[in-house]
Amino acid sequence: LPHVLEASIAENKGSLTSTHMEVWSDPPNPHDRKRQENCPVGLKNVGNTCWFSAVIQSLFHLLEFQRLVLQYSPPANTQDLLCNQKEPRNLPFMQELRCLFSLMVGSKRRYVDPSRAVEILKGAFKSTDSQQQDVSEFSHKLLDWLEDAFQMKPKNPMVELFYGHFVAVGVLEGKKFENTETFGQYPLQVNGYKDLHESLEAAMIEGDIESLHSEKPGVSGQEHWFAELPPVLTFELSRFQFNQVLGRPEKIHNKLEFPAVLYLDRYLNRNRDITRVKRREMRRLKEHLLLLQQRLERYMSYGSGPKRCPLADVLEYTVEFASSQPILSSPSMTDQGSPNSTEGPLSAPFPQQRVPVHKPLTQSRVLPNPLGQPAPRFITEEELRVLEGCLQRWRSEVEKDTRELQGYISRIHTTMELMYSDTTLMQVPYRLHAVLVHEGQASAGHYWAYIFSPQLQHWLKFNDVSVTKSTWEELVRDSFGGYRNASAYCLMYVDDKKPFLVQEKFDKETGQMLSGLDKLPADLKEYVKEDNRLFEKELREWDMLQAHRAAVEKLASAMAGTSTESEAAQPDGQEPSPPESGVLPPYDENVKYGQLTVCPPTPSTPQAIKLEYGRLLWLAQQDTSPENDPRLLYVMVYLIKNQAPKTILERTLLTQFADRDLSFNEQCKNIMKVAQEKLHSIRPEEVNIEEYETWHRDYHNFRETTVFLMIGLELFQKESYVEALMYLIYSYQYNKKLLSRGPYRGHDKELIAHYRRECLLRLNEHAAALFQSGEEPELSDGMTIMNELVVPCLPLLLANEEQAEERDMAAVEDIRNRWCSYLGQEMEPKLQETLTDFLPKLLDCSVETRSFRDPPRLPSLSTLELRERFSRVLTSLRQTSAKER
């Protein structure tokens, strides 16, 4: 557990009381957080705690371990327990772990929050130095705490479950010894081994194996033999090594294969005589195999220079050369056919011949073939026949020898593979239960787990809040190593002959399998029921709110329809529906925030209001482009499109007619006075003022969102990406909140997402270019851009993996891959150190709530100015995009 966890948790706690905007939170719709049937519960990442999720999930799905935790109860004399415990935080941690496990069993939520358990754990990992502690240390510490918590029992069940014994047999300075030792998680090396058996074989032997049978002074060596295997056998794969040159740890990405079923008979103390015989045979076969491979290599890579090829091919090429036709360069070659007629470096031993004069018009000449193959200057048929016979015979002999060597090697490989396959050495099967995977580098990365479900009979991938169905093929790709930067660092096997480890128990009275709340103790059952009641209440309140909104919208629509019908029945029939084009005046300077476009010229007051309402209703029904959005000019259009109640519409319209700014002629003054009188005549119970203010506050938020978006797009167009990003981030967040209440409450989500994504990608490329320069202050500027802008914004694009846009997720991958591409490249130590410090932040895949600085201050804009600038920047960007396409 890296001690950076402490700072991250403290930061998260501080952010709960921060006045800054939270850029990510749980989905507002609780149905998005509802657990699906038969789907395991995920764990929320509370700040660099993906390691916690991976380890806890793998232990939780060991059902025997799960039962031990759930049924845990401290002894009656708690004081004695606290005195005997090495760690005083064990008891509160066990209580929180029980609560967490109970929620993972019976919660109706898709994922639960482990913050309280993590809060207790963090205090146990305060390091005295600046080096990070890896996740294996957390696993050891966790098992120590669990063992300590159960120490008062006659037989510690944690020791029984996770600890075994091996016999160490060997020679120390010529003296033989044999003793028994206890082991828990068994460490294995990755470097230099192709699979788990090779690594385990090497781990079971220390020193010279032959020294075990020698009594010579000064020799040492030992073998380990499992005397008692634990029901749960955990292997730690050592994928980190210290680079002495760079002075820092590095991850080993080498491939290491491991089986789904591991037979451990060959490593048991009772089988050591059989295994020793087979090991000696394996060593003999490997030595013979090495000799055969070396001999085959001489056939397959023949020659003494740097460029070598198979010997059979050399002989074949020699035959082809000898039998090739010579390249003719003059008639004398064709006519005489002897070396005497050829000039060149090989003609010196022969008398010089007079070369005929070439007459281009009267004498034909065989031109040289520029594509001709090299060939002997001269060779007799007898020489060719002898040479071809020898070469073909030698080639046949070489091919035969090669086939025989390959056959010998193949048979040795088969013998070695089947060395331990007889039934006597396949009696102790251990089945793979969980694989804990790390992606990244030694000091940076993300953890997740693959766990096999015996109930569902397939693999599951546990990645923080996400729990998805997986396959063995996906597990192999991500766990063996050698693919990207992901590889397994911990393997958990369970005794296949002890199915109770991963299977549910049955009720003794009913015979039914215990599951869900039925397997919880009474106190935890009530705890989970209470949490589920709270969640169900949240669901009901959400549904009631949505039903209320739908009913209000339906009622408003029905009232608007009734009003239209009654007005249409009037004798004068003057109201246009839709209004004629002449009723829609052009936008002019009279347009103000939420006010009427013009004062109607002649109709009476009621007809004027009806006429304006009809015009606004017609506008609201039009399908306009974002550049010409009428909502920016008319609050009434916004209210109509969002189906505000009729009382809200009537009061808003009367308020607009009653505005003193409309009194620019006598007729409008009269209409204004009548509207004011009607407003004063409205009784308080007829209009809900709080609801009225809420609707207008929503419209104010819509305008603010528009200003954020407009300024962000203007800055983006000017390539001021640093300044543009904050405006685009806040416009997206505000717009998202608006759209959660209705599709016409905000702007097109895809539009804002596109420019937010493009802004991040361009900032990332700019920062990478500054990093590559390696010079100051460019390097610091690039890191500032990444740490203060790009990295904090990545969770926004991954806020909910199930709902995140595919293009947003691809953009995040592009950003990370851009920086991961520097891994393995030669660079200055300062750049390497900077990259090492930066990658943990970039590769942290959590999508947790983070604090952002306060939003930029917005300028005061008139309605007309806002509409014109918004239209102008959108039109310009669309034209630029069209040209680029």
Side-chain angles (χ1 to χ4, degrees):
L1 168 65
H3 62 255
V4 73
L5 168 67
E6 301 166 25
S8 105
I9 294 181
E11 178 183 348
N12 284 343
K13 288 178 65 180
S15 70
L16 295 177
T17 57
S18 172
T19 57
H20 294 182
M21 173 186 172
E22 304 295 342
V23 299
W24 188 89
S25 59
D26 291 335
N29 185 347
H31 290 280
D32 294 335
R33 293 180 268 119
K34 187 176 181 180
R35 180 180 181 181
Q36 301 299 314
E37 188 176 1
N38 296 325
C39 183
V41 175
L43 290 175
K44 186 176 181 180
N45 189 322
V46 294
N48 293 333
T49 56
C50 49
W51 52 269
F52 181 89
S53 298
V55 174
I56 291 298
Q57 289 283 16
S58 62
L59 292 173
F60 172 80
H61 286 88
L62 281 171
L63 298 187
E64 181 65 13
F65 177 86
Q66 181 191 120
R67 286 187 285 268
L68 288 172
V69 171
L70 292 173
Q71 300 297 332
Y72 173 80
S73 58
N77 192 341
T78 308
Q79 190 61 38
D80 291 344
L81 174 64
L82 293 175
C83 292
N84 292 328
Q85 283 185 329
K86 296 177 288 186
E87 174 54 63
R89 285 165 289 200
N90 277 358
L91 185 57
F93 175 74
M94 283 302 300
Q95 291 171 339
E96 289 302 334
L97 191 62
R98 290 183 74 237
C99 292
L100 181 62
F101 272 27
S102 67
L103 290 175
M104 294 169 72
V105 167
S107 178
K108 294 185 178 181
R109 304 177 190 266
R110 185 165 62 90
Y111 57 88
V112 294
D113 190 335
S115 296
R116 290 193 291 186
V118 171
E119 185 71 20
I120 297 172
L121 268 178
K122 72 172 187 177
F125 289 91
K126 291 181 179 178
S127 178
T128 56
D129 54 31
S130 60
Q131 294 181 351
Q132 282 191 324
Q133 297 163 308
D134 61 22
V135 74
S136 64
E137 184 174 351
F138 160 69
S139 302
H140 285 289
K141 178 71 70 176
L142 178 62
L143 288 179
D144 286 345
W145 279 24
L146 293 169
E147 179 186 350
D148 198 24
F150 284 88
Q151 65 171 314
M152 302 298 288
K153 295 183 179 293
K155 280 190 175 183
N156 193 316
M158 291 297 162
V159 174
E160 297 289 317
L161 194 60
F162 293 104
Y163 291 87
H165 301 91
F166 66 81
V167 176
V169 182
V171 176
L172 179 62
E173 296 182 353
K175 295 182 179 180
K176 293 186 177 182
F177 69 88
E178 181 171 335
N179 52 52
T180 302
E181 299 180 24
T182 301
F183 72 93
Q185 301 181 58
Y186 208 86
L188 295 178
Q189 297 297 316
V190 172
N191 230 356
Y193 306 104
K194 71 172 185 178
D195 58 38
L196 187 64
H197 275 300
E198 276 195 8
S199 179
L200 187 54
E201 285 271 2
M204 302 293 278
I205 300 173
E206 296 180 16
D208 184 7
I209 190 65
E210 297 302 329
S211 65
L212 299 178
H213 312 290
S214 172
E215 296 185 2
K216 295 179 182 179
V219 297
S220 298
Q222 64 174 307
E223 292 175 328
H224 290 173
W225 300 95
F226 291 133
E228 183 181 359
L229 288 166
V232 181
L233 179 59
T234 304
F235 294 113
E236 289 180 2
L237 304 184
S238 179
R239 286 199 170 271
F240 301 99
Q241 62 184 5
F242 193 80
N243 188 314
Q244 299 290 345
V245 177
L246 298 177
R248 60 178 176 81
E250 288 184 334
K251 185 177 178 182
I252 300 170
H253 295 291
N254 297 3
K255 185 176 183 180
L256 184 80
E257 299 178 0
F258 49 84
V261 178
L262 179 70
Y263 291 96
L264 293 165
D265 305 72
R266 70 180 85 171
Y267 308 106
L268 299 182
N269 186 46
R270 65 173 182 261
N271 293 329
R272 68 183 184 186
D273 292 335
I274 300 174
T275 303
R276 281 173 176 170
V277 171
K278 290 187 175 292
R279 283 179 178 173
R280 284 194 292 270
E281 178 63 14
M282 285 287 283
R283 285 197 300 276
R284 187 189 67 80
L285 289 173
K286 286 180 179 179
E287 292 170 358
H288 187 42
L289 179 64
L290 180 61
L291 293 175
L292 293 175
Q293 288 173 333
Q294 290 174 346
R295 186 177 176 189
L296 179 62
E297 180 66 16
R298 288 193 287 270
Y299 277 98
M300 302 308 294
S301 299
Y302 185 77
S304 56
K307 294 184 178 180
R308 304 184 180 191
C309 60
L311 178 55
D313 292 347
V314 172
L315 297 172
E316 177 65 22
Y317 298 153
T318 306
V319 173
E320 291 178 2
F321 171 77
S323 58
S324 297
Q325 293 295 324
I327 300 174
L328 301 178
S329 61
S330 68
S332 61
M333 290 177 62
T334 307
D335 297 338
Q336 298 177 26
S338 73
N340 294 356
S341 62
T342 305
E343 295 183 4
L346 300 180
S347 62
F350 301 97
Q352 294 293 326
Q353 301 293 324
R354 182 172 179 272
V355 179
V357 178
H358 174 60
K359 300 176 182 180
L361 298 179
T362 60
Q363 180 180 346
S364 63
R365 177 184 180 185
V366 179
L367 298 175
N369 180 6
L371 300 178
Q373 296 295 325
R377 296 276 184 171
F378 179 78
I379 185 170
T380 66
E381 290 187 3
E382 182 63 26
E383 290 172 335
L384 179 61
R385 186 168 56 255
V386 173
L387 185 60
E388 283 183 337
C390 292
L391 291 172
Q392 289 173 355
R393 184 177 72 253
W394 295 338
R395 182 170 182 269
S396 298
E397 293 171 356
V398 167
E399 289 177 340
K400 181 181 178 183
D401 291 346
T402 302
R403 285 194 300 271
E404 289 179 351
L405 285 170
Q406 291 172 336
Y408 293 150
I409 291 172
S410 177
R411 286 192 290 275
I412 290 176
H413 276 302
T414 301
T415 302
M416 292 169 65
E417 290 172 1
L418 299 176
M419 182 64 69
Y420 295 97
S421 62
D422 51 281
T423 54
T424 58
L425 293 177
M426 297 181 71
Q427 300 299 312
V428 186
Y430 270 64
R431 186 169 298 277
L432 187 61
H433 163 68
V435 180
L436 278 64
V437 179
H438 175 268
E439 181 179 29
Q441 297 303 309
S443 58
H446 179 60
Y447 296 93
W448 68 86
Y450 289 102
I451 301 172
F452 185 75
S453 170
Q455 292 76 28
L456 302 177
Q457 282 298 301
H458 60 68
W459 287 92
L460 295 171
K461 181 179 181 180
F462 291 81
N463 191 354
D464 291 336
V465 301
S466 173
V467 181
T468 55
K469 184 178 179 180
S470 187
T471 62
W472 174 253
E473 290 72 24
E474 182 184 2
L475 183 152
V476 167
R477 184 195 67 191
D478 288 346
S479 306
F480 278 11
Y483 175 76
R484 297 192 304 180
N485 293 325
S487 53
Y489 69 90
C490 183
L491 306 176
M492 192 176 289
Y493 284 88
V494 295
D495 191 336
D496 203 31
K497 292 187 175 180
K498 297 177 179 178
F500 68 88
L501 293 170
V502 291
Q503 288 183 0
E504 299 284 8
K505 285 191 174 181
F506 290 84
D507 187 278
K508 294 179 180 179
E509 296 180 0
T510 64
Q512 298 294 318
M513 185 178 70
L514 293 172
S515 62
L517 295 177
D518 293 337
K519 65 180 183 179
L520 296 179
D523 61 328
L524 292 180
K525 187 179 295 185
E526 287 305 313
Y527 172 76
V528 175
K529 283 182 177 179
E530 178 60 27
D531 185 75
N532 284 340
R533 278 194 291 268
L534 293 174
F535 185 60
E536 288 170 350
K537 180 182 177 184
E538 186 181 358
L539 290 168
R540 286 195 303 271
E541 290 176 348
W542 173 268
D543 292 340
M544 289 172 62
L545 177 61
Q546 301 310 307
H548 174 69
R549 287 177 177 171
V552 169
E553 291 170 354
K554 184 176 180 181
L555 178 61
S557 177
M559 291 177 67
T562 302
S563 175
T564 303
E565 290 173 7
S566 62
E567 292 162 357
Q570 293 180 3
D572 53 12
Q574 294 295 318
E575 182 182 0
S577 179
E580 298 175 357
S581 59
V583 179
L584 297 175
Y587 300 117
D588 58 29
E589 67 223 22
N590 292 323
V591 177
K592 304 187 70 176
Y593 167 40
Q595 294 182 347
L596 301 177
T597 304
V598 295
C599 180
T602 55
S604 64
T605 301
Q607 290 174 324
I609 295 176
K610 293 174 185 177
L611 183 66
E612 181 63 5
Y613 177 76
R615 186 180 71 84
L616 296 172
L617 179 62
W618 186 88
L619 273 174
Q621 292 171 344
Q622 303 310 299
D623 186 13
T624 58
S625 63
E627 295 90 349
N628 300 311
D629 192 343
R631 293 176 301 169
L632 294 178
L633 293 176
Y634 309 110
V635 63
M636 280 292 295
V637 173
Y638 180 88
L639 296 175
I640 293 170
K641 287 186 75 71
N642 288 288
Q643 300 181 336
K646 184 181 178 182
T647 54
I648 304 298
L649 295 175
E650 288 177 346
R651 183 177 181 86
T652 301
L653 198 56
L654 287 172
T655 301
Q656 293 177 353
F657 273 98
D659 195 300
R660 293 184 180 276
D661 289 338
L662 286 179
S663 59
F664 46 82
N665 62 38
E666 196 64 27
Q667 185 180 17
C668 288
K669 287 181 181 178
N670 294 332
I671 298 174
M672 178 191 70
K673 291 178 182 178
V674 174
Q676 289 174 346
E677 291 174 359
K678 285 186 173 290
L679 277 175
H680 290 309
S681 66
I682 297 176
R683 295 190 300 274
E685 63 269 17
E686 292 180 352
V687 177
N688 187 329
I689 297 300
E690 184 178 348
E691 184 182 20
Y692 175 82
E693 290 175 350
T694 299
W695 276 100
H696 283 265
R697 192 162 48 246
D698 285 352
Y699 183 67
H700 174 77
N701 294 337
F702 168 73
R703 277 177 53 88
E704 275 200 344
T705 302
T706 306
V707 177
F708 273 119
L709 176 57
M710 178 195 70
I711 297 176
L713 294 179
E714 288 175 342
L715 291 169
F716 180 90
Q717 194 174 33
K718 296 175 184 177
E719 299 184 359
S720 300
Y721 302 123
V722 173
E723 295 82 2
L725 183 61
M726 282 299 98
Y727 287 93
L728 294 172
I729 290 296
Y730 277 93
S731 68
Y732 186 92
Q733 294 304 117
Y734 287 171
N735 192 67
K736 180 180 178 182
K737 186 176 181 180
L738 288 170
L739 292 178
S740 69
R741 302 181 63 185
Y744 298 105
R745 298 275 183 145
H747 292 284
D748 180 13
K749 181 180 70 174
E750 303 295 331
L751 172 71
I752 308 177
H754 170 76
Y755 286 102
R756 180 187 65 168
R757 184 168 57 244
E758 284 299 311
C759 195
L760 280 171
L761 288 170
R762 297 187 190 191
L763 277 175
N764 184 64
E765 284 303 312
H766 178 56
L770 293 175
F771 172 81
Q772 282 184 283
S773 70
E775 302 293 334
E776 292 291 352
E778 288 81 3
L779 178 59
S780 296
D781 291 343
M783 290 297 98
T784 299
I785 290 172
M786 294 304 297
N787 289 321
E788 294 185 8
L789 293 174
V790 177
V791 171
C793 291
L794 293 186
L796 292 173
L797 277 65
L798 299 173
N800 188 334
E801 289 184 2
E802 295 182 359
Q803 297 178 357
E805 284 190 22
E806 186 173 320
R807 284 168 293 183
D808 281 350
M809 297 179 69
V812 173
E813 285 302 309
D814 289 343
I815 289 171
R816 288 174 174 159
N817 290 339
R818 181 72 172 87
W819 291 91
C820 286
S821 66
Y822 292 121
L823 296 172
Q825 295 185 16
E826 293 185 2
M827 59 181 68
E828 295 293 330
K830 182 179 180 181
L831 291 180
Q832 187 68 54
E833 182 180 355
T834 301
L835 184 64
T836 302
D837 292 339
F838 167 66
L839 280 178
K841 307 169 188 175
L842 180 66
L843 295 176
D844 180 16
C845 294
S846 64
V847 290
E848 300 310 306
T849 303
R850 301 188 184 193
S851 294
F852 245 84
R853 67 191 188 201
D854 290 329
R857 296 190 64 178
L858 299 180
S860 178
L861 300 173
S862 68
T863 300
L864 184 59
E865 182 182 4
L866 172 60
R867 187 261 178 187
E868 287 180 345
R869 283 178 59 179
F870 187 71
S871 177
R872 185 166 56 246
V873 70
L874 276 183
T875 302
S876 178
L877 286 171
R878 289 187 189 279
Q879 291 172 348
T880 302
S881 178
K883 289 179 182 178
E884 290 175 351
R885 289 197 297 269

